[in-house]
Amino acid sequence: MPLEGEYEPSPTKWVREQVELYESSDGAKGTTIRGMPVVLVTNRGARSGKIRKTPLMRVEHEGSYALVASNGGAVKHPVWYHNLIASPVVELRDGPKVRDMRARLVTGEERRTWWDRAVDAFPDYAGYQRKAEREIPVFVVEPLD
Ligand code: F42
């Protein structure tokens, strides 16, 4: 695995608990939120270098995934957005499957295609975009090999 280092759990209790349940059950439990599927993205802190684990909605298409930096519609990007720009290699857990992948920010037509898939998977993204006062960034993650 290319991502090694000291793990620093999320300061947000419900997020930390979702990560713990997801991982401790090897992807059998904690894999949804409000009935919709979630993936776990392990990333490296851009300043601390520590390992971070971020649950995100599962937006999958032909083995690639979109990661939507919605941050609940907040005006600021989530911190993990900056982590992925600095260190794009991530580990993505989808249920029991874990893969090393590389993230890239998508723009234009490619972003629009993935955005539509994201809203199909999690309709709340549309409302988050309306209130965010920023274009919500979308990464596509693809297998390293
Ligand atoms: N967030 C989304 O943006 N999109 C989703 O689709 C999404 C789905 C989702 C599903 C389930 C669930 O449990 C949570 C979900 N979330 C989703 C919330 C998501 O997991 C994150 O909690 C949220 O996006 C906020 O991300 P964040 O990276 O801003 O997290 C904060 C709370 C955080 O962990 N902050 C840390 C802290 O200590 O304050 C810093 C973490 C960090 O990476 N620090 C860096 C470092 O170097 O270590 C740099 C720090 C710096 O100042 O630059």
Side-chain angles (χ1 to χ4, degrees), residues 3 6 8 42-54 78-90 139:
L3 275 176
E6 185 190 342
E8 182 72 33
T42 299
N43 55 101
R44 185 176 299 286
R47 291 191 197 171
S48 66
K50 289 182 180 172
I51 300 299
R52 306 285 183 174
K53 297 187 180 184
T54 310
V79 175
W80 64 262
Y81 162 86
H82 302 282
N83 295 347
L84 262 55
I85 295 288
S87 300
V89 173
V90 298
F139 293 91

Side-chain angles (χ1 to χ4, degrees), residues 1-57:
M1 292 287 163
L3 275 176
E4 287 177 356
E6 185 190 342
Y7 169 47
E8 182 72 33
S10 170
T12 308
K13 187 167 179 277
W14 62 275
V15 172
R16 193 169 62 236
E17 288 176 351
Q18 176 136 40
V19 173
E20 278 164 14
L21 185 59
Y22 206 130
E23 289 211 308
S24 65
S25 66
D26 203 20
K29 293 182 185 166
T31 58
T32 60
I33 193 162
R34 289 165 34 211
M36 286 170 277
V38 169
V39 295
L40 276 193
V41 178
T42 299
N43 55 101
R44 185 176 299 286
R47 291 191 197 171
S48 66
K50 289 182 180 172
I51 300 299
R52 306 285 183 174
K53 297 187 180 184
T54 310
L56 298 171
M57 301 317 293

